[in-house]
Amino acid sequence: MRRPHIRSVAVAIAVTTAATGLAGTAFAGPSTGVERSSASATTNATAVVEAARTAAVAHASATGVSQGDELHAQDVMLDPEGARHVRFVRTHDGMPVLGGDLIVHLDHKLAYAGVTRAAGHAVEPATTTAKLTADQAAAKAAQAAKGDAGTARLVVDARGGSTALAYQVTVTDGNGTNTVVIDAVTGKVRSNTPDSDEFLSPKLLDSLRKHHETIDPATGIGSASPEAGLLGSGVSGAAASYPSAAKGTGKTLFVGSVGLTTTQTSRGHYQLKDPSRYGTETRDAKGSYTEKFSAGTKFTNTTNVWGNGATSSRASAAADAQYGVTKTLDFYKSTFGRKGIANNSKAAQAMVHWGSKVANAFWDPTCNCMLYGDGDGQMFKKPLVVLDVTGHELTHGVVDATAKLEPTYVDSDGNQYGEPGALNESLADIFGSNVEFFTKNSKDVGDYLIGEKLGLAQKFLRRLDHPSLDKLEGTIDYWSPDTYYTEVHAGSGVSSHAYYLLAEGSGKKTINGVNYNSPTYHNATVKGIGRTKATAIFYRALTRYMVSTTDFHDARVATLKAAKDLYGASSTEYKTVDKAWAAVNVTAANTPAARH
């Protein structure tokens, strides 16, 4: 996992303090968790933002807002039942505050109803005078990340339970960029985080080498009939004006022949770009390491058939990528009313054939797109354009646009640790598996397995019902104090397991031909409430009650609040949320007194 957390905070600072143009301004239905736009949302959001900012100052002892702080609205959520929620990022004396994010909750009368904050302490640093110059900080950052440093800028680092004046530096090397934070007084490296989010962690790749395993997904037989129900209204050669939507066919590597909505640019000419989904597009990086989508080569042809079901056609991987990205967008829109990854009605993008022998796929915030390597030809045989991988990675984009869950620390090999990062991975698995269920593709049926098409000996990469069956990453079933020191993919099992128990319950069952047998802590029995309700609860918790430092105990509280919003505090759903977390050993009673 490679995360863009720090950079995304810096970007969020640029959001205007007025509510106009805010990504994610929406209404959320109490019974389904669906968000829907409103013509008056901008006007309503303006008033809500001002009320929330005023409330944050008036309740400073609870919100932690102090003199010198400025709150910049990032997201506004207006619930039909009356609640309002404003997600803020913060500056202090004009400097971005890392870990300074908070959500102010209001009732239907815009009165203060509570706060969810990332930093539980004052964000004012002990000194605002740097001992290091910007050039000195940049040099230290370049040394730490082994690359070329950009301009260092002063920030306040309020993460990790303390606050310090620091420099934030972007460092670029041949593999991408890292965000490095250097203490402006001591020169210590406070964090060094890769900015892109890789599906396969260094730890997993090392484990695969030790097990002499390869990732070689089985290709589909590109002969299935294309899907019906496409949004495109154009028909090949029939458009009177251009560009217009057209119905094409993707002959993919992994899911057979599928329907794709494309753009007809002129009579008999087409582009792999979907005008019905905000202009979502896949391009060919042609072996370059560019992080600029505009530098990718457009996929065009004269037949509106993309790929041949094999890697011999460069368009085959592109068809998989475009299909996965658009189906992920469809899942979020149909299920939650979310319009695009950042809920701003903007395109999602993908580039295939990225880099030379790159054995990975990842969400890249610099590009604001998915990047897919072709594999190294040895351990990694094919492009990782599998459906649940795309759903997983694009969900990291959704998390970046909402809670921005951050890992706590990163080791020298790039492996990440800490519960917020593990929760991020878990949410990506949860919603990635939901993309499969939603898509209903017969060649990749919905299941609670992640990476089941990768060709691994254990038949999956991770699974939600019984996480510890994953021996490659050593994924865990239950929380313990040691979870803080667990690599994030391995630690993700705690909340993924809680979600599965909430949705399906404990014990044996068969779903879509897959056998599950979910255990529980102390052998407690849990009866599930169904995937639809469980998913609504986790989505509402993410968007309204999670911040960058949310750990598993915080996530328990967030999902309980979400269940209360949606179904009531005396509901079966609310009680089952509590039981599901207890079944993975996350309870109010064992909440750590000292939080990392």
Side-chain angles (χ1 to χ4, degrees), residues 63-79:
T63 63
V65 175
S66 61
Q67 186 174 358
D69 288 357
E70 289 187 8
L71 300 180
H72 304 257
Q74 182 190 33
D75 203 358
V76 180
M77 293 145 284
L78 315 175
D79 300 341

Side-chain angles (χ1 to χ4, degrees), residues 92-93 95 124-134 136 154-156 163-167 182-187:
H92 182 79
D93 291 341
M95 295 178 288
E124 183 176 1
T127 179
T128 57
T129 302
K131 290 188 177 180
L132 271 69
T133 66
Q136 289 172 328
L154 282 171
V155 298
V156 175
T163 303
L165 184 68
Y167 284 102
I182 303 291
D183 194 295
V185 176
T186 67

Side-chain angles (χ1 to χ4, degrees), residues 11 87 114 119 173 191 271 337 368 466 547 590:
V11 171
R87 187 182 295 275
D173 63 15
S191 63
Q271 182 179 346
N368 193 33
H466 195 165
V547 290
N590 66 13

Side-chain angles (χ1 to χ4, degrees), residues 23-42:
T25 301
F27 292 92
S31 59
T32 63
V34 171
E35 294 185 349
R36 58 187 186 276
S37 298
S38 168
S40 61
T42 296

